[in-house]
PDB file of all heavy atoms in Angstrom:
ATOM      1  N   PRO R   1      -1.287   3.499   6.721  1.00 97.00           N
ATOM      2  CA  PRO R   1      -0.024   2.798   7.057  1.00 97.00           C
ATOM      3  C   PRO R   1       0.990   2.867   5.947  1.00 97.00           C
ATOM      4  O   PRO R   1       2.206   2.872   6.179  1.00 97.00           O
ATOM      5  CB  PRO R   1      -0.518   1.356   7.264  1.00 97.00           C
ATOM      6  CG  PRO R   1      -1.904   1.492   7.643  1.00 97.00           C
ATOM      7  CD  PRO R   1      -2.432   2.741   6.824  1.00 97.00           C
ATOM      8  N   TYR R   2       0.610   2.910   4.708  1.00 97.00           N
ATOM      9  CA  TYR R   2       1.530   3.071   3.612  1.00 97.00           C
ATOM     10  C   TYR R   2       2.408   4.339   3.768  1.00 97.00           C
ATOM     11  O   TYR R   2       3.618   4.335   3.548  1.00 97.00           O
ATOM     12  CB  TYR R   2       0.834   3.027   2.298  1.00 97.00           C
ATOM     13  CG  TYR R   2       1.713   3.320   1.039  1.00 97.00           C
ATOM     14  CD1 TYR R   2       2.661   2.458   0.672  1.00 97.00           C
ATOM     15  CD2 TYR R   2       1.573   4.508   0.347  1.00 97.00           C
ATOM     16  CE1 TYR R   2       3.548   2.752  -0.405  1.00 97.00           C
ATOM     17  CE2 TYR R   2       2.342   4.787  -0.743  1.00 97.00           C
ATOM     18  CZ  TYR R   2       3.353   3.895  -1.120  1.00 97.00           C
ATOM     19  OH  TYR R   2       4.215   4.182  -2.183  1.00 97.00           O
ATOM     20  N   TRP R   3       1.690   5.414   3.999  1.00 96.00           N
ATOM     21  CA  TRP R   3       2.444   6.651   4.202  1.00 96.00           C
ATOM     22  C   TRP R   3       3.347   6.774   5.385  1.00 96.00           C
ATOM     23  O   TRP R   3       4.354   7.287   5.419  1.00 96.00           O
ATOM     24  CB  TRP R   3       1.479   7.817   4.086  1.00 96.00           C
ATOM     25  CG  TRP R   3       1.054   8.097   2.687  1.00 96.00           C
ATOM     26  CD1 TRP R   3      -0.056   7.800   2.059  1.00 96.00           C
ATOM     27  CD2 TRP R   3       1.899   8.674   1.631  1.00 96.00           C
ATOM     28  NE1 TRP R   3      -0.131   8.127   0.721  1.00 96.00           N
ATOM     29  CE2 TRP R   3       1.133   8.741   0.474  1.00 96.00           C
ATOM     30  CE3 TRP R   3       3.143   9.282   1.659  1.00 96.00           C
ATOM     31  CZ2 TRP R   3       1.598   9.252  -0.772  1.00 96.00           C
ATOM     32  CZ3 TRP R   3       3.654   9.829   0.460  1.00 96.00           C
ATOM     33  CH2 TRP R   3       2.860   9.739  -0.722  1.00 96.00           C
ATOM     34  N   TRP R   4       2.857   6.038   6.453  1.00 97.00           N
ATOM     35  CA  TRP R   4       3.776   5.960   7.599  1.00 97.00           C
ATOM     36  C   TRP R   4       5.064   5.201   7.276  1.00 97.00           C
ATOM     37  O   TRP R   4       6.149   5.586   7.713  1.00 97.00           O
ATOM     38  CB  TRP R   4       3.016   5.360   8.799  1.00 97.00           C
ATOM     39  CG  TRP R   4       1.788   6.037   9.227  1.00 97.00           C
ATOM     40  CD1 TRP R   4       1.571   7.376   9.049  1.00 97.00           C
ATOM     41  CD2 TRP R   4       0.678   5.490   9.966  1.00 97.00           C
ATOM     42  NE1 TRP R   4       0.415   7.766   9.572  1.00 97.00           N
ATOM     43  CE2 TRP R   4      -0.156   6.638  10.150  1.00 97.00           C
ATOM     44  CE3 TRP R   4       0.394   4.271  10.566  1.00 97.00           C
ATOM     45  CZ2 TRP R   4      -1.342   6.463  10.907  1.00 97.00           C
ATOM     46  CZ3 TRP R   4      -0.815   4.183  11.172  1.00 97.00           C
ATOM     47  CH2 TRP R   4      -1.666   5.275  11.377  1.00 97.00           C
ATOM     48  N   ILE R   5       4.915   4.140   6.511  1.00 97.00           N
ATOM     49  CA  ILE R   5       6.076   3.339   6.040  1.00 97.00           C
ATOM     50  C   ILE R   5       6.931   4.223   5.232  1.00 97.00           C
ATOM     51  O   ILE R   5       8.184   4.251   5.389  1.00 97.00           O
ATOM     52  CB  ILE R   5       5.646   2.091   5.295  1.00 97.00           C
ATOM     53  CG1 ILE R   5       4.936   1.104   6.226  1.00 97.00           C
ATOM     54  CG2 ILE R   5       6.834   1.419   4.633  1.00 97.00           C
ATOM     55  CD1 ILE R   5       4.244  -0.067   5.508  1.00 97.00           C
ATOM     56  N   LYS R   6       6.355   4.960   4.279  1.00 96.00           N
ATOM     57  CA  LYS R   6       7.140   5.810   3.359  1.00 96.00           C
ATOM     58  C   LYS R   6       7.907   6.833   4.199  1.00 96.00           C
ATOM     59  O   LYS R   6       9.028   7.099   3.909  1.00 96.00           O
ATOM     60  CB  LYS R   6       6.239   6.498   2.433  1.00 96.00           C
ATOM     61  CG  LYS R   6       5.642   5.546   1.341  1.00 96.00           C
ATOM     62  CD  LYS R   6       6.501   5.527   0.144  1.00 96.00           C
ATOM     63  CE  LYS R   6       6.396   6.797  -0.662  1.00 96.00           C
ATOM     64  NZ  LYS R   6       7.303   6.728  -1.866  1.00 96.00           N
ATOM     65  N   CYS R   7       7.256   7.418   5.118  1.00 96.00           N
ATOM     66  CA  CYS R   7       7.856   8.447   5.939  1.00 96.00           C
ATOM     67  C   CYS R   7       9.031   7.815   6.737  1.00 96.00           C
ATOM     68  O   CYS R   7      10.081   8.403   7.001  1.00 96.00           O
ATOM     69  CB  CYS R   7       6.906   9.164   6.829  1.00 96.00           C
ATOM     70  SG  CYS R   7       5.699  10.216   5.936  1.00 96.00           S
ATOM     71  N   ALA R   8       8.860   6.593   7.325  1.00 96.00           N
ATOM     72  CA  ALA R   8       9.839   5.974   8.089  1.00 96.00           C
ATOM     73  C   ALA R   8      11.103   5.605   7.326  1.00 96.00           C
ATOM     74  O   ALA R   8      12.268   5.692   7.750  1.00 96.00           O
ATOM     75  CB  ALA R   8       9.226   4.776   8.808  1.00 96.00           C
ATOM     76  N   VAL R   9      10.922   5.123   6.002  1.00 96.00           N
ATOM     77  CA  VAL R   9      12.035   4.601   5.275  1.00 96.00           C
ATOM     78  C   VAL R   9      12.561   5.636   4.259  1.00 96.00           C
ATOM     79  O   VAL R   9      13.611   5.401   3.677  1.00 96.00           O
ATOM     80  CB  VAL R   9      11.624   3.361   4.542  1.00 96.00           C
ATOM     81  CG1 VAL R   9      11.117   2.276   5.422  1.00 96.00           C
ATOM     82  CG2 VAL R   9      10.560   3.629   3.404  1.00 96.00           C
ATOM     83  N   GLY R  10      11.913   6.710   4.127  1.00 94.00           N
ATOM     84  CA  GLY R  10      12.202   7.788   3.151  1.00 94.00           C
ATOM     85  C   GLY R  10      11.113   7.977   2.175  1.00 94.00           C
ATOM     86  O   GLY R  10      10.835   7.070   1.408  1.00 94.00           O
ATOM     87  N   VAL R  11      10.634   9.208   2.113  1.00 92.00           N
ATOM     88  CA  VAL R  11       9.416   9.451   1.273  1.00 92.00           C
ATOM     89  C   VAL R  11       9.714   9.146  -0.254  1.00 92.00           C
ATOM     90  O   VAL R  11       8.749   8.904  -0.994  1.00 92.00           O
ATOM     91  CB  VAL R  11       8.895  10.908   1.476  1.00 92.00           C
ATOM     92  CG1 VAL R  11       8.340  10.993   2.872  1.00 92.00           C
ATOM     93  CG2 VAL R  11       9.981  11.953   1.274  1.00 92.00           C
ATOM     94  N   ASN R  12      10.936   9.256  -0.672  1.00 90.00           N
ATOM     95  CA  ASN R  12      11.273   8.978  -2.067  1.00 90.00           C
ATOM     96  C   ASN R  12      11.825   7.669  -2.259  1.00 90.00           C
ATOM     97  O   ASN R  12      12.302   7.324  -3.414  1.00 90.00           O
ATOM     98  CB  ASN R  12      12.218  10.110  -2.544  1.00 90.00           C
ATOM     99  CG  ASN R  12      11.622  11.493  -2.493  1.00 90.00           C
ATOM    100  OD1 ASN R  12      10.472  11.648  -2.978  1.00 90.00           O
ATOM    101  ND2 ASN R  12      12.323  12.467  -1.939  1.00 90.00           N
ATOM    102  N   ASN R  13      11.882   6.838  -1.221  1.00 93.00           N
ATOM    103  CA  ASN R  13      12.486   5.451  -1.323  1.00 93.00           C
ATOM    104  C   ASN R  13      11.422   4.517  -1.755  1.00 93.00           C
ATOM    105  O   ASN R  13      10.982   3.604  -0.918  1.00 93.00           O
ATOM    106  CB  ASN R  13      13.116   5.104   0.039  1.00 93.00           C
ATOM    107  CG  ASN R  13      13.945   3.820  -0.133  1.00 93.00           C
ATOM    108  OD1 ASN R  13      14.107   3.201  -1.223  1.00 93.00           O
ATOM    109  ND2 ASN R  13      14.497   3.409   1.016  1.00 93.00           N
ATOM    110  N   ASP R  14      10.950   4.598  -3.004  1.00 91.00           N
ATOM    111  CA  ASP R  14       9.994   3.662  -3.493  1.00 91.00           C
ATOM    112  C   ASP R  14      10.484   2.171  -3.572  1.00 91.00           C
ATOM    113  O   ASP R  14       9.567   1.291  -3.742  1.00 91.00           O
ATOM    114  CB  ASP R  14       9.413   4.123  -4.844  1.00 91.00           C
ATOM    115  CG  ASP R  14       8.725   5.468  -4.730  1.00 91.00           C
ATOM    116  OD1 ASP R  14       8.149   5.780  -3.665  1.00 91.00           O
ATOM    117  OD2 ASP R  14       8.683   6.269  -5.716  1.00 91.00           O
ATOM    118  N   ASP R  15      11.728   1.991  -3.614  1.00 94.00           N
ATOM    119  CA  ASP R  15      12.248   0.611  -3.796  1.00 94.00           C
ATOM    120  C   ASP R  15      12.463  -0.130  -2.466  1.00 94.00           C
ATOM    121  O   ASP R  15      12.896  -1.297  -2.513  1.00 94.00           O
ATOM    122  CB  ASP R  15      13.605   0.752  -4.607  1.00 94.00           C
ATOM    123  CG  ASP R  15      13.351   1.193  -5.968  1.00 94.00           C
ATOM    124  OD1 ASP R  15      12.314   0.829  -6.600  1.00 94.00           O
ATOM    125  OD2 ASP R  15      14.301   1.848  -6.525  1.00 94.00           O
ATOM    126  N   HIS R  16      12.225   0.534  -1.391  1.00 96.00           N
ATOM    127  CA  HIS R  16      12.358  -0.173  -0.130  1.00 96.00           C
ATOM    128  C   HIS R  16      11.367  -1.366  -0.057  1.00 96.00           C
ATOM    129  O   HIS R  16      10.221  -1.202  -0.496  1.00 96.00           O
ATOM    130  CB  HIS R  16      12.029   0.788   1.049  1.00 96.00           C
ATOM    131  CG  HIS R  16      12.369   0.235   2.414  1.00 96.00           C
ATOM    132  ND1 HIS R  16      11.483  -0.746   3.043  1.00 96.00           N
ATOM    133  CD2 HIS R  16      13.340   0.285   3.184  1.00 96.00           C
ATOM    134  CE1 HIS R  16      11.990  -1.088   4.155  1.00 96.00           C
ATOM    135  NE2 HIS R  16      13.179  -0.513   4.309  1.00 96.00           N
ATOM    136  N   PRO R  17      11.799  -2.532   0.283  1.00 96.00           N
ATOM    137  CA  PRO R  17      11.010  -3.790   0.174  1.00 96.00           C
ATOM    138  C   PRO R  17       9.650  -3.636   0.909  1.00 96.00           C
ATOM    139  O   PRO R  17       8.556  -4.083   0.326  1.00 96.00           O
ATOM    140  CB  PRO R  17      11.840  -4.829   0.782  1.00 96.00           C
ATOM    141  CG  PRO R  17      13.217  -4.405   0.725  1.00 96.00           C
ATOM    142  CD  PRO R  17      13.182  -2.863   0.767  1.00 96.00           C
ATOM    143  N   LEU R  18       9.591  -3.026   2.052  1.00 96.00           N
ATOM    144  CA  LEU R  18       8.353  -2.829   2.736  1.00 96.00           C
ATOM    145  C   LEU R  18       7.336  -1.944   2.110  1.00 96.00           C
ATOM    146  O   LEU R  18       6.220  -2.232   1.933  1.00 96.00           O
ATOM    147  CB  LEU R  18       8.615  -2.462   4.251  1.00 96.00           C
ATOM    148  CG  LEU R  18       7.391  -2.414   5.175  1.00 96.00           C
ATOM    149  CD1 LEU R  18       6.778  -3.863   5.225  1.00 96.00           C
ATOM    150  CD2 LEU R  18       7.860  -2.028   6.588  1.00 96.00           C
ATOM    151  N   ALA R  19       7.899  -0.825   1.684  1.00 95.00           N
ATOM    152  CA  ALA R  19       7.067   0.149   0.870  1.00 95.00           C
ATOM    153  C   ALA R  19       6.567  -0.414  -0.359  1.00 95.00           C
ATOM    154  O   ALA R  19       5.439  -0.191  -0.784  1.00 95.00           O
ATOM    155  CB  ALA R  19       7.887   1.503   0.699  1.00 95.00           C
ATOM    156  N   LYS R  20       7.450  -1.103  -1.075  1.00 95.00           N
ATOM    157  CA  LYS R  20       7.053  -1.646  -2.371  1.00 95.00           C
ATOM    158  C   LYS R  20       6.043  -2.778  -2.236  1.00 95.00           C
ATOM    159  O   LYS R  20       5.047  -2.758  -2.951  1.00 95.00           O
ATOM    160  CB  LYS R  20       8.333  -2.261  -3.027  1.00 95.00           C
ATOM    161  CG  LYS R  20       8.138  -2.604  -4.469  1.00 95.00           C
ATOM    162  CD  LYS R  20       9.567  -2.987  -5.069  1.00 95.00           C
ATOM    163  CE  LYS R  20       9.457  -3.267  -6.526  1.00 95.00           C
ATOM    164  NZ  LYS R  20      10.811  -3.597  -7.084  1.00 95.00           N
ATOM    165  N   ALA R  21       6.120  -3.535  -1.193  1.00 96.00           N
ATOM    166  CA  ALA R  21       5.158  -4.642  -0.933  1.00 96.00           C
ATOM    167  C   ALA R  21       3.828  -4.098  -0.576  1.00 96.00           C
ATOM    168  O   ALA R  21       2.802  -4.494  -1.091  1.00 96.00           O
ATOM    169  CB  ALA R  21       5.672  -5.587   0.148  1.00 96.00           C
ATOM    170  N   TYR R  22       3.864  -3.052   0.261  1.00 96.00           N
ATOM    171  CA  TYR R  22       2.527  -2.437   0.684  1.00 96.00           C
ATOM    172  C   TYR R  22       1.874  -1.755  -0.520  1.00 96.00           C
ATOM    173  O   TYR R  22       0.623  -1.834  -0.713  1.00 96.00           O
ATOM    174  CB  TYR R  22       2.733  -1.484   1.846  1.00 96.00           C
ATOM    175  CG  TYR R  22       1.437  -1.288   2.636  1.00 96.00           C
ATOM    176  CD1 TYR R  22       1.312  -1.792   3.895  1.00 96.00           C
ATOM    177  CD2 TYR R  22       0.352  -0.464   2.107  1.00 96.00           C
ATOM    178  CE1 TYR R  22       0.095  -1.643   4.617  1.00 96.00           C
ATOM    179  CE2 TYR R  22      -0.783  -0.266   2.819  1.00 96.00           C
ATOM    180  CZ  TYR R  22      -0.952  -0.840   4.049  1.00 96.00           C
ATOM    181  OH  TYR R  22      -2.117  -0.599   4.776  1.00 96.00           O
ATOM    182  N   HIS R  23       2.689  -1.120  -1.362  1.00 96.00           N
ATOM    183  CA  HIS R  23       2.078  -0.494  -2.525  1.00 96.00           C
ATOM    184  C   HIS R  23       1.484  -1.460  -3.428  1.00 96.00           C
ATOM    185  O   HIS R  23       0.387  -1.196  -4.043  1.00 96.00           O
ATOM    186  CB  HIS R  23       3.217   0.287  -3.309  1.00 96.00           C
ATOM    187  CG  HIS R  23       2.781   1.026  -4.416  1.00 96.00           C
ATOM    188  ND1 HIS R  23       2.821   0.535  -5.778  1.00 96.00           N
ATOM    189  CD2 HIS R  23       2.170   2.271  -4.564  1.00 96.00           C
ATOM    190  CE1 HIS R  23       2.273   1.406  -6.564  1.00 96.00           C
ATOM    191  NE2 HIS R  23       1.861   2.483  -5.864  1.00 96.00           N
ATOM    192  N   GLN R  24       2.050  -2.655  -3.590  1.00 95.00           N
ATOM    193  CA  GLN R  24       1.459  -3.692  -4.488  1.00 95.00           C
ATOM    194  C   GLN R  24       0.082  -4.178  -3.827  1.00 95.00           C
ATOM    195  O   GLN R  24      -0.819  -4.439  -4.654  1.00 95.00           O
ATOM    196  CB  GLN R  24       2.388  -4.844  -4.544  1.00 95.00           C
ATOM    197  CG  GLN R  24       3.650  -4.569  -5.417  1.00 95.00           C
ATOM    198  CD  GLN R  24       4.758  -5.640  -5.347  1.00 95.00           C
ATOM    199  OE1 GLN R  24       4.559  -6.560  -4.517  1.00 95.00           O
ATOM    200  NE2 GLN R  24       5.637  -5.591  -6.290  1.00 95.00           N
ATOM    201  N   VAL R  25       0.003  -4.239  -2.563  1.00 94.00           N
ATOM    202  CA  VAL R  25      -1.171  -4.571  -1.920  1.00 94.00           C
ATOM    203  C   VAL R  25      -2.262  -3.478  -2.239  1.00 94.00           C
ATOM    204  O   VAL R  25      -3.391  -3.855  -2.618  1.00 94.00           O
ATOM    205  CB  VAL R  25      -1.006  -4.701  -0.415  1.00 94.00           C
ATOM    206  CG1 VAL R  25      -2.443  -4.916   0.286  1.00 94.00           C
ATOM    207  CG2 VAL R  25      -0.196  -5.904  -0.116  1.00 94.00           C
ATOM    208  N   LEU R  26      -1.896  -2.224  -2.150  1.00 95.00           N
ATOM    209  CA  LEU R  26      -2.874  -1.170  -2.423  1.00 95.00           C
ATOM    210  C   LEU R  26      -3.305  -1.202  -3.870  1.00 95.00           C
ATOM    211  O   LEU R  26      -4.523  -0.989  -4.203  1.00 95.00           O
ATOM    212  CB  LEU R  26      -2.284   0.220  -2.082  1.00 95.00           C
ATOM    213  CG  LEU R  26      -2.061   0.458  -0.655  1.00 95.00           C
ATOM    214  CD1 LEU R  26      -1.368   1.845  -0.466  1.00 95.00           C
ATOM    215  CD2 LEU R  26      -3.314   0.391   0.213  1.00 95.00           C
ATOM    216  N   VAL R  27      -2.440  -1.388  -4.848  1.00 95.00           N
ATOM    217  CA  VAL R  27      -2.818  -1.527  -6.245  1.00 95.00           C
ATOM    218  C   VAL R  27      -3.787  -2.671  -6.381  1.00 95.00           C
ATOM    219  O   VAL R  27      -4.809  -2.553  -7.145  1.00 95.00           O
ATOM    220  CB  VAL R  27      -1.526  -1.644  -7.114  1.00 95.00           C
ATOM    221  CG1 VAL R  27      -1.979  -1.964  -8.566  1.00 95.00           C
ATOM    222  CG2 VAL R  27      -0.701  -0.461  -7.046  1.00 95.00           C
ATOM    223  N   TRP R  28      -3.445  -3.829  -5.809  1.00 95.00           N
ATOM    224  CA  TRP R  28      -4.336  -4.958  -5.962  1.00 95.00           C
ATOM    225  C   TRP R  28      -5.706  -4.656  -5.392  1.00 95.00           C
ATOM    226  O   TRP R  28      -6.699  -5.015  -6.030  1.00 95.00           O
ATOM    227  CB  TRP R  28      -3.734  -6.150  -5.170  1.00 95.00           C
ATOM    228  CG  TRP R  28      -4.597  -7.360  -5.035  1.00 95.00           C
ATOM    229  CD1 TRP R  28      -4.894  -8.287  -5.901  1.00 95.00           C
ATOM    230  CD2 TRP R  28      -5.365  -7.679  -3.822  1.00 95.00           C
ATOM    231  NE1 TRP R  28      -5.776  -9.240  -5.396  1.00 95.00           N
ATOM    232  CE2 TRP R  28      -6.110  -8.854  -4.029  1.00 95.00           C
ATOM    233  CE3 TRP R  28      -5.398  -7.031  -2.491  1.00 95.00           C
ATOM    234  CZ2 TRP R  28      -6.899  -9.430  -3.133  1.00 95.00           C
ATOM    235  CZ3 TRP R  28      -6.225  -7.661  -1.612  1.00 95.00           C
ATOM    236  CH2 TRP R  28      -6.987  -8.808  -1.901  1.00 95.00           C
ATOM    237  N   ASP R  29      -5.812  -3.961  -4.263  1.00 93.00           N
ATOM    238  CA  ASP R  29      -7.060  -3.641  -3.642  1.00 93.00           C
ATOM    239  C   ASP R  29      -7.857  -2.717  -4.624  1.00 93.00           C
ATOM    240  O   ASP R  29      -9.054  -2.833  -4.731  1.00 93.00           O
ATOM    241  CB  ASP R  29      -6.811  -2.946  -2.334  1.00 93.00           C
ATOM    242  CG  ASP R  29      -8.075  -2.447  -1.716  1.00 93.00           C
ATOM    243  OD1 ASP R  29      -8.925  -3.267  -1.438  1.00 93.00           O
ATOM    244  OD2 ASP R  29      -8.100  -1.228  -1.385  1.00 93.00           O
ATOM    245  N   ILE R  30      -7.208  -1.727  -5.142  1.00 91.00           N
ATOM    246  CA  ILE R  30      -7.878  -0.705  -5.970  1.00 91.00           C
ATOM    247  C   ILE R  30      -8.409  -1.450  -7.260  1.00 91.00           C
ATOM    248  O   ILE R  30      -9.512  -1.165  -7.720  1.00 91.00           O
ATOM    249  CB  ILE R  30      -6.927   0.416  -6.450  1.00 91.00           C
ATOM    250  CG1 ILE R  30      -6.646   1.255  -5.182  1.00 91.00           C
ATOM    251  CG2 ILE R  30      -7.534   1.280  -7.528  1.00 91.00           C
ATOM    252  CD1 ILE R  30      -5.455   2.249  -5.420  1.00 91.00           C
ATOM    253  N   MET R  31      -7.706  -2.382  -7.770  1.00 92.00           N
ATOM    254  CA  MET R  31      -8.086  -3.107  -9.002  1.00 92.00           C
ATOM    255  C   MET R  31      -9.116  -4.107  -8.747  1.00 92.00           C
ATOM    256  O   MET R  31     -10.075  -4.286  -9.556  1.00 92.00           O
ATOM    257  CB  MET R  31      -6.853  -3.712  -9.710  1.00 92.00           C
ATOM    258  CG  MET R  31      -5.792  -2.758 -10.143  1.00 92.00           C
ATOM    259  SD  MET R  31      -6.365  -1.519 -11.285  1.00 92.00           S
ATOM    260  CE  MET R  31      -6.650  -2.658 -12.730  1.00 92.00           C
ATOM    261  N   LYS R  32      -9.005  -4.877  -7.723  1.00 92.00           N
ATOM    262  CA  LYS R  32      -9.917  -5.941  -7.440  1.00 92.00           C
ATOM    263  C   LYS R  32     -11.086  -5.663  -6.530  1.00 92.00           C
ATOM    264  O   LYS R  32     -12.164  -6.307  -6.590  1.00 92.00           O
ATOM    265  CB  LYS R  32      -9.136  -7.183  -6.838  1.00 92.00           C
ATOM    266  CG  LYS R  32      -8.068  -7.612  -7.742  1.00 92.00           C
ATOM    267  CD  LYS R  32      -8.544  -8.160  -9.073  1.00 92.00           C
ATOM    268  CE  LYS R  32      -7.426  -8.800  -9.859  1.00 92.00           C
ATOM    269  NZ  LYS R  32      -7.932  -9.314 -11.223  1.00 92.00           N
ATOM    270  N   ARG R  33     -10.824  -4.754  -5.519  1.00 90.00           N
ATOM    271  CA  ARG R  33     -11.822  -4.328  -4.572  1.00 90.00           C
ATOM    272  C   ARG R  33     -12.530  -5.514  -3.957  1.00 90.00           C
ATOM    273  O   ARG R  33     -13.724  -5.725  -3.906  1.00 90.00           O
ATOM    274  CB  ARG R  33     -12.908  -3.429  -5.221  1.00 90.00           C
ATOM    275  CG  ARG R  33     -12.370  -2.141  -5.792  1.00 90.00           C
ATOM    276  CD  ARG R  33     -13.426  -1.191  -6.203  1.00 90.00           C
ATOM    277  NE  ARG R  33     -14.246  -0.753  -5.034  1.00 90.00           N
ATOM    278  CZ  ARG R  33     -13.885   0.136  -4.211  1.00 90.00           C
ATOM    279  NH1 ARG R  33     -12.774   0.802  -4.321  1.00 90.00           N
ATOM    280  NH2 ARG R  33     -14.653   0.464  -3.257  1.00 90.00           N
ATOM    281  N   PRO R  34     -11.721  -6.418  -3.281  1.00 93.00           N
ATOM    282  CA  PRO R  34     -12.265  -7.622  -2.620  1.00 93.00           C
ATOM    283  C   PRO R  34     -13.099  -7.186  -1.385  1.00 93.00           C
ATOM    284  O   PRO R  34     -12.858  -6.093  -0.751  1.00 93.00           O
ATOM    285  CB  PRO R  34     -11.044  -8.398  -2.294  1.00 93.00           C
ATOM    286  CG  PRO R  34      -9.999  -7.410  -2.122  1.00 93.00           C
ATOM    287  CD  PRO R  34     -10.304  -6.380  -3.114  1.00 93.00           C
ATOM    288  N   LEU R  35     -14.055  -8.004  -1.039  1.00 94.00           N
ATOM    289  CA  LEU R  35     -14.983  -7.762   0.096  1.00 94.00           C
ATOM    290  C   LEU R  35     -14.124  -7.659   1.365  1.00 94.00           C
ATOM    291  O   LEU R  35     -14.458  -6.673   2.189  1.00 94.00           O
ATOM    292  CB  LEU R  35     -15.983  -8.900   0.268  1.00 94.00           C
ATOM    293  CG  LEU R  35     -16.933  -8.720   1.386  1.00 94.00           C
ATOM    294  CD1 LEU R  35     -17.785  -7.454   1.289  1.00 94.00           C
ATOM    295  CD2 LEU R  35     -17.868  -9.995   1.498  1.00 94.00           C
ATOM    296  N   ALA R  36     -13.096  -8.429   1.545  1.00 93.00           N
ATOM    297  CA  ALA R  36     -12.401  -8.370   2.844  1.00 93.00           C
ATOM    298  C   ALA R  36     -11.687  -7.046   3.059  1.00 93.00           C
ATOM    299  O   ALA R  36     -11.844  -6.453   4.187  1.00 93.00           O
ATOM    300  CB  ALA R  36     -11.267  -9.446   2.876  1.00 93.00           C
ATOM    301  N   THR R  37     -11.116  -6.477   2.088  1.00 93.00           N
ATOM    302  CA  THR R  37     -10.461  -5.111   2.248  1.00 93.00           C
ATOM    303  C   THR R  37     -11.488  -4.024   2.340  1.00 93.00           C
ATOM    304  O   THR R  37     -11.297  -3.008   2.954  1.00 93.00           O
ATOM    305  CB  THR R  37      -9.451  -4.795   1.202  1.00 93.00           C
ATOM    306  OG1 THR R  37     -10.044  -4.933  -0.134  1.00 93.00           O
ATOM    307  CG2 THR R  37      -8.310  -5.787   1.173  1.00 93.00           C
ATOM    308  N   ARG R  38     -12.668  -4.160   1.652  1.00 92.00           N
ATOM    309  CA  ARG R  38     -13.752  -3.213   1.771  1.00 92.00           C
ATOM    310  C   ARG R  38     -14.236  -3.130   3.184  1.00 92.00           C
ATOM    311  O   ARG R  38     -14.460  -2.012   3.729  1.00 92.00           O
ATOM    312  CB  ARG R  38     -14.879  -3.479   0.871  1.00 92.00           C
ATOM    313  CG  ARG R  38     -14.500  -3.425  -0.609  1.00 92.00           C
ATOM    314  CD  ARG R  38     -14.443  -2.027  -1.206  1.00 92.00           C
ATOM    315  NE  ARG R  38     -13.375  -1.193  -0.698  1.00 92.00           N
ATOM    316  CZ  ARG R  38     -12.084  -1.268  -0.960  1.00 92.00           C
ATOM    317  NH1 ARG R  38     -11.725  -2.096  -1.843  1.00 92.00           N
ATOM    318  NH2 ARG R  38     -11.232  -0.554  -0.415  1.00 92.00           N
ATOM    319  N   LEU R  39     -14.421  -4.231   3.842  1.00 95.00           N
ATOM    320  CA  LEU R  39     -14.855  -4.345   5.187  1.00 95.00           C
ATOM    321  C   LEU R  39     -13.779  -3.747   6.142  1.00 95.00           C
ATOM    322  O   LEU R  39     -14.105  -3.096   7.069  1.00 95.00           O
ATOM    323  CB  LEU R  39     -15.242  -5.815   5.613  1.00 95.00           C
ATOM    324  CG  LEU R  39     -16.422  -6.364   4.834  1.00 95.00           C
ATOM    325  CD1 LEU R  39     -16.644  -7.820   5.216  1.00 95.00           C
ATOM    326  CD2 LEU R  39     -17.759  -5.541   5.191  1.00 95.00           C
ATOM    327  N   ALA R  40     -12.534  -4.157   5.824  1.00 95.00           N
ATOM    328  CA  ALA R  40     -11.416  -3.625   6.716  1.00 95.00           C
ATOM    329  C   ALA R  40     -11.336  -2.098   6.606  1.00 95.00           C
ATOM    330  O   ALA R  40     -11.224  -1.497   7.630  1.00 95.00           O
ATOM    331  CB  ALA R  40     -10.134  -4.317   6.289  1.00 95.00           C
ATOM    332  N   GLU R  41     -11.476  -1.575   5.462  1.00 94.00           N
ATOM    333  CA  GLU R  41     -11.377  -0.128   5.301  1.00 94.00           C
ATOM    334  C   GLU R  41     -12.595   0.550   5.963  1.00 94.00           C
ATOM    335  O   GLU R  41     -12.430   1.696   6.547  1.00 94.00           O
ATOM    336  CB  GLU R  41     -11.298   0.333   3.795  1.00 94.00           C
ATOM    337  CG  GLU R  41     -10.984   1.735   3.638  1.00 94.00           C
ATOM    338  CD  GLU R  41     -10.313   1.988   2.313  1.00 94.00           C
ATOM    339  OE1 GLU R  41     -10.993   1.918   1.314  1.00 94.00           O
ATOM    340  OE2 GLU R  41      -9.121   2.398   2.368  1.00 94.00           O
TER     341      GLU R  41
END
């Protein structure tokens, strides 16, 4: 979904609010690896 958002708003538009917010979620997931996102994935 992150890449779909990037493609929709511009692949180089890292400052778009939606792309930026989703990226922060992914970074949080990679760092913390919570059970909820592991199960979702």
Side-chain angles (χ1 to χ4, degrees):
Y2 171 69
W3 282 102
W4 296 341
I5 292 169
K6 289 268 289 177
C7 288
V9 304
V11 290
N12 296 314
N13 188 4
D14 294 332
D15 292 328
H16 189 280
L18 188 56
K20 195 171 184 178
Y22 202 107
H23 183 264
Q24 290 173 344
V25 171
L26 292 179
V27 171
W28 169 79
D29 174 58
I30 292 169
M31 298 299 294
K32 301 296 184 181
R33 299 189 62 81
L35 178 60
T37 56
R38 297 281 65 76
L39 293 174
E41 190 154 70

